[in-house]
Amino acid sequence: MSQQRHEELKKLIRHHDHLYHVLDRPEIQDLEYDRLYAELVQLEEANPSYDRSDSPTLRVGSAPLDLFKKVPHRTPMLSLQNSYSPEDLIEFDARIKKFLRKDNPVQYFCEPKFDGLAVELIYEQGLFKQALTRGDGAVGEDVTENVRTIRSVPLRLKGSNPPPLLEVRGEILMFKEDFKYLNEQQQENGQPTFANPRNASAGTVRQLDSKVAASRPLRFFAYALGVVEGKTFSSQQEIAEFLKQEGFPVAEEHSSLAENPDEVVAYYHKIDTHRSKLPFDIDGIVVKVNSLTLQEDLGLVARSPRWASAAKFKPEQAQTLVETIQIQVGRTGALTPVAVMKPVKVGGVTVTNATLHNQEEIQRKDVRIGDTVIVQRAGDVIPEIVSVVLDKRPTDSMPFLMPTECPSCGSSVRVVEGEVVARCVNPLCEAVLKESLKHFVSRRAMNMEKIGDRLIETLVDQKLLTRFSDFFRLKKEDLLGLERQGEKSVENILKSVETSKQTTLGRFIFSLGIRFVGETTAKHLADHFLTIQALQKASAEDLIAVPEIGPKVAVAVREWFENSKLNQEIDQMIELGVSIQGPQRSSEGPLSGKSFVITGTLPVKRDEAKDLIEKNGGKILSSVSSKLDFLVVGDDPGSKADKAQSLGVKIISWDDLQAMLT
Ligand code: IVH
């Protein structure tokens, strides 16, 4: 009986995963999904003999590997002939016709060229068995455990009659938005950031701890087949259709058939103009002869098929001079080298600074002060130094070395074993202090609206700020003595300090800037401990007992609260009037079980509206989907309202929301 339920649950969750992660069209509430999932976990824990080989519970990652196994591909993963201009596509078509001795038009299947990491997924009897990187094309690396964590990779094919063997080829990538968020989190946690979405994806797939992979927002798109047993196809389009039927994400809306070379060129231009609006990076288009019979006739040249060609887009790049390399000291003491360049326009935006991430990255690219470099905008936003123009390197240039002393306080810098980030370990370092204070007052932390970065720098320089609690000791006279501070602005500053005193436990914990404790973790801690005093007293065991908290976070939190100076800071802030509101047991309330998204301008601040909804048991979602219960619209709503309307989501006003609370 329970074994039957186990199979049923796996199937149900698979179905909802597909709706959510592949089709972006969920049908059930998160809560309902979580319940099914919890039931599955429980069943599997109680019955270790049940078949977990296709279970979604395996997506959380497993024990780290020592090394990736090398595995030969059954049929080589080829490369593509590249060209850089649409004219080359016309030549490509001419070559094909000449080879085939054919005058009538050849039909092409055109797709975006995904800028990620090529992999092969192997399915036996419909079950996901293995994932290999492309490697050198002949032999790849076994990255099965990492790829299993990717929610858009089906663990079981959807079709009822699966081929005994199916090899699916495609690309692993990260959406631009997910990449941006990941880098923000990396920075927040004092971890190295990634140069672009492709590096982030490749680095994630090729690291040994699949738990890390599980925590990163990877995606998969399928575009080709390797060996298939028991099934044949006649065209590329048919393959794409089959992949979709079997549950794989394909670039359906962005692919297109072309009847002649002019249509191929038109496709190239269409995708190029569309490129920045796509949610993921692409670096060109791939054009494939649609007929598989013709593909066979055409065969290979060297390691590339004669029947396919990639036309790359001209990257948005420019050359400029590295004037200096500055070292920024972050809140966690992390030292980040930043290239300061002669301003240059790249794709319509003026670029001056580009992060060089860390010593390893500087060495790899060998960027030096005085170098002429090629910059491009990675992921369409962040400027990145691609390479050095060696011909233009001054003869007296020297490799850049990270300082061994903190540029701010002069303490020695430490590189922790196994990490690439160099850190200033002086807790009293002025740069670390300034960054910590900036974080403390920031919008999502204590939210002292009128206190900007410049003011903090001045106040620290003037020794008016040496610790968090000093904000609450600021006096009118102190501020009036500063340059460019009039009566009115001083009043506003003091008012925003005063307002910030009413805060929530989640915000307060987040604002302390404890390593690895981002906004979400802070919220989990608040929900669990309910008061700051309980958290202050929590032992390492108490902390690890919180489901969302791992040992790394537990140690960081413990260390922070073991510091008696920091603990005293908390007491003093409370004495100075900071009032920390513990979380309301929010699952109960007039809005419980209902989900909300807010759009447009409301009569109150966004965060206030969110707090109100959560306090009353409602849940805030980040985007509109069919599983959303209510869209709350204010003035000037954007496209979310249209989307909600088309999905049949209830649209309510601020007043309607108020009415629901009574
Ligand atoms: S088809 C050889 N389709 O291009 C033909 N490849 O140079 C089989 N790629 O490493 C590949 N997007 O990473 C194909 N829509 C697409 C593609 C694509 C990106 C990459 C793939 C491979 C490289 C081949």
Side-chain angles (χ1 to χ4, degrees):
M1 178 59 208
S2 73
Q3 186 150 18
Q4 195 185 339
R5 178 67 183 155
H6 181 235
E7 290 300 323
E8 203 173 276
L9 280 170
K10 286 195 294 189
K11 200 165 156 196
L12 257 176
I13 293 175
R14 196 176 306 131
H15 171 68
H16 290 299
D17 276 345
H18 182 68
L19 287 171
Y20 189 96
H21 295 285
V22 180
L23 303 180
D24 199 16
R25 211 173 55 215
E27 281 175 3
I28 58 169
Q29 298 264 2
D30 286 2
L31 190 71
E32 221 172 306
Y33 178 92
D34 293 345
R35 275 204 200 114
L36 293 173
Y37 195 91
E39 189 185 345
L40 180 66
V41 170
Q42 220 169 20
L43 259 183
E44 288 180 351
E45 271 172 8
N47 303 282
S49 66
Y50 287 0
D51 176 18
R52 287 184 68 194
S53 62
D54 60 347
S55 175
T57 56
L58 292 180
R59 294 210 199 261
V60 294
S62 48
L65 304 169
D66 295 327
L67 196 87
F68 293 118
K69 206 168 57 185
K70 295 246 192 289
V71 180
H73 295 288
R74 286 186 179 83
T75 178
M77 286 181 79
L78 302 171
S79 51
L80 286 172
Q81 310 167 52
N82 280 328
S83 66
Y84 283 90
S85 75
E87 292 78 55
D88 292 341
L89 290 168
I90 300 192
E91 252 171 59
F92 166 67
D93 173 69
R95 273 203 308 278
I96 282 179
K97 284 191 184 132
K98 189 163 165 220
F99 191 89
L100 295 171
R101 297 171 202 279
K102 199 168 160 340
D103 273 336
N104 35 352
V106 174
Q107 194 183 42
Y108 295 100
F109 189 73
C110 309
E111 279 185 344
K113 187 173 190 305
F114 301 101
D115 195 11
L117 180 79
V119 290
E120 172 169 86
L121 313 182
I122 302 171
Y123 290 80
E124 287 170 22
Q125 314 297 343
L127 270 187
F128 171 70
K129 275 280 138 77
Q130 200 171 41
L132 307 176
T133 61
R134 178 170 181 276
D136 62 3
V139 178
E141 284 179 313
D142 183 338
V143 289
T144 311
E145 294 315 314
N146 288 336
V147 172
R148 199 198 301 280
T149 67
I150 305 174
R151 311 268 159 172
S152 50
V153 167
L155 297 179
R156 181 188 279 275
L157 301 178
K158 279 179 78 67
S160 52
N161 191 13
L165 174 69
L166 175 72
E167 293 183 345
V168 173
R169 292 173 177 181
E171 203 92 350
I172 291 179
L173 47 79
M174 226 175 252
F175 277 15
K176 294 176 204 169
E177 200 171 309
D178 293 336
F179 165 74
K180 233 177 94 191
Y181 184 67
L182 172 66
N183 256 359
E184 277 166 21
Q185 279 190 321
Q186 289 286 108
Q187 191 135 37
E188 191 130 284
N189 295 338
Q191 308 277 85
T193 51
F194 300 98
N196 53 47
R198 179 174 29 79
N199 281 9
S201 317
T204 303
V205 172
R206 295 202 66 269
Q207 53 81 43
L208 295 159
D209 187 350
S210 52
K211 290 228 164 49
V212 175
S215 74
R216 303 239 178 103
L218 295 175
R219 313 226 181 194
F220 176 75
F221 280 92
Y223 50 64
L225 295 175
V227 173
V228 185
E229 279 172 12
K231 193 155 175 62
T232 53
F233 299 91
S234 66
S235 72
Q236 204 63 51
Q237 192 184 28
E238 200 190 319
I239 291 176
E241 189 52 36
F242 166 77
L243 288 169
K244 185 182 158 201
Q245 297 300 334
E246 293 295 348
F248 295 94
V250 288
E252 200 186 12
E253 310 120 84
H254 309 294
S255 53
S256 174
L257 276 181
E259 302 299 336
N260 55 52
D262 289 344
E263 285 187 19
V264 174
V265 172
Y267 174 83
Y268 174 93
H269 291 301
K270 188 180 122 200
I271 296 288
D272 194 8
T273 38
H274 227 77
R275 185 181 171 194
S276 60
K277 292 194 205 80
L278 291 182
F280 45 81
D281 278 340
I282 61 173
D283 56 351
I285 62 163
V286 179
V287 183
K288 303 169 194 175
V289 170
N290 194 32
S291 152
L292 299 197
T293 321
L294 289 186
Q295 284 190 5
E296 212 163 297
D297 293 346
L298 284 157
L300 305 181
V301 226
R303 309 204 43 76
S304 311
R306 197 176 271 111
W307 46 265
S309 176
K312 296 229 195 169
F313 297 133
K314 295 193 184 63
E316 299 185 331
Q317 291 186 336
Q319 276 195 20
T320 186
L321 188 79
V322 175
E323 290 177 333
T324 184
I325 297 178
Q326 270 179 3
I327 304 292
Q328 290 180 353
V329 184
R331 177 164 62 78
T332 61
L335 267 48
T336 308
V338 177
V340 181
M341 300 167 292
K342 207 165 145 215
V344 64
K345 276 217 157 175
V346 188
V349 174
T350 303
V351 166
T352 47
N353 289 4
T355 175
L356 291 164
H357 302 277
N358 52 57
Q359 179 72 56
E360 217 171 86
E361 186 74 3
I362 292 192
Q363 252 157 356
R364 199 171 62 76
K365 290 187 176 158
D366 191 19
V367 177
R368 306 177 181 187
I369 297 171
D371 268 346
T372 298
V373 291
I374 295 173
V375 274
Q376 72 180 21
R377 287 195 295 137
D380 282 341
V381 255
I382 305 157
E384 172 192 12
I385 292 183
V386 188
S387 59
V388 175
V389 185
L390 287 176
D391 290 350
K392 298 193 179 169
R393 172 170 281 173
T395 46
D396 60 348
S397 95
M398 298 276 280
F400 182 81
L401 285 178
M402 286 291 279
T404 50
E405 284 167 7
C406 171
S408 170
C409 70
S411 315
S412 59
V413 165
R414 192 155 37 140
V415 180
V416 176
E417 179 94 18
E419 282 188 23
V420 285
V421 179
R423 266 173 227 288
C424 169
V425 290
N426 173 13
L428 302 174
C429 171
E430 203 158 272
V432 173
L433 174 69
K434 282 178 179 169
E435 294 309 310
S436 305
L437 295 172
K438 287 177 196 170
H439 172 74
F440 185 76
V441 304
S442 63
R443 197 170 56 81
R444 313 183 80 96
M446 294 299 278
N447 192 20
M448 298 188 192
E449 271 183 340
K450 298 289 173 200
I451 302 196
D453 290 358
R454 285 276 298 277
L455 180 61
I456 289 187
E457 310 231 343
T458 315
L459 289 171
V460 173
D461 292 342
Q462 304 278 329
K463 305 273 179 279
L464 286 167
L465 267 184
T466 60
R467 48 192 165 151
F468 296 141
S469 59
D470 283 346
F471 282 111
F472 307 102
R473 295 192 185 89
L474 284 175
K475 285 197 253 343
K476 201 169 163 184
E477 308 83 76
D478 300 338
L479 294 166
L480 277 173
L482 301 175
E483 225 175 294
R484 274 177 318 187
Q485 294 295 350
E487 189 80 38
K488 185 82 202 142
S489 70
V490 167
E491 238 169 63
N492 285 336
I493 291 168
L494 291 173
K495 205 149 91 199
S496 81
V497 172
E498 199 52 38
T499 318
S500 78
K501 286 182 179 172
Q502 302 300 321
T503 190
T504 62
L505 184 56
R507 271 180 184 273
F508 188 75
I509 296 171
F510 174 58
S511 63
L512 299 176
I514 303 168
R515 243 189 117 193
F516 308 122
V517 180
E519 215 179 347
T520 318
T521 305
K523 222 165 164 198
H524 290 316
L525 289 169
D527 284 342
H528 188 87
F529 290 100
L530 302 177
T531 66
I532 190 71
Q533 291 76 16
L535 182 61
Q536 278 175 299
K537 280 195 289 249
S539 68
E541 290 75 44
D542 295 339
L543 286 159
I544 291 180
V546 185
E548 296 88 354
I549 304 293
K552 202 169 69 175
V553 179
V555 169
V557 174
R558 206 45 251 137
E559 272 178 7
W560 202 96
F561 287 105
E562 258 160 23
N563 183 327
S564 60
K565 274 229 173 74
L566 293 171
N567 254 327
Q568 273 171 24
E569 268 295 280
I570 293 181
D571 300 339
Q572 295 194 11
M573 284 192 269
I574 294 172
E575 243 165 68
L576 289 161
V578 174
S579 154
I580 309 163
Q581 170 89 56
Q584 308 286 335
R585 294 284 91 210
S586 60
S587 49
E588 255 113 287
L591 306 183
S592 68
K594 298 282 179 248
S595 57
F596 296 81
V597 165
I598 302 172
T599 185
T601 318
L602 298 178
V604 299
K605 288 220 186 68
R606 216 20 106 81
D607 290 342
E608 262 174 57
K610 285 185 175 174
D611 282 349
L612 182 76
I613 290 172
E614 283 178 342
K615 243 188 233 157
N616 284 285
K619 194 168 159 190
I620 300 286
L621 300 186
S622 57
S623 63
V624 175
S625 71
S626 59
K627 70 177 166 180
L628 177 69
D629 294 311
F630 296 100
L631 180 74
V632 184
V633 292
D635 292 340
D636 303 322
S639 60
K640 281 186 177 153
D642 300 335
K643 188 164 177 199
Q645 190 150 34
S646 70
L647 291 171
V649 170
K650 259 214 183 107
I651 299 180
I652 58 170
S653 67
W654 178 244
D655 291 342
D656 296 337
L657 180 74
Q658 302 289 317
M660 289 165 76
L661 301 178
T662 50

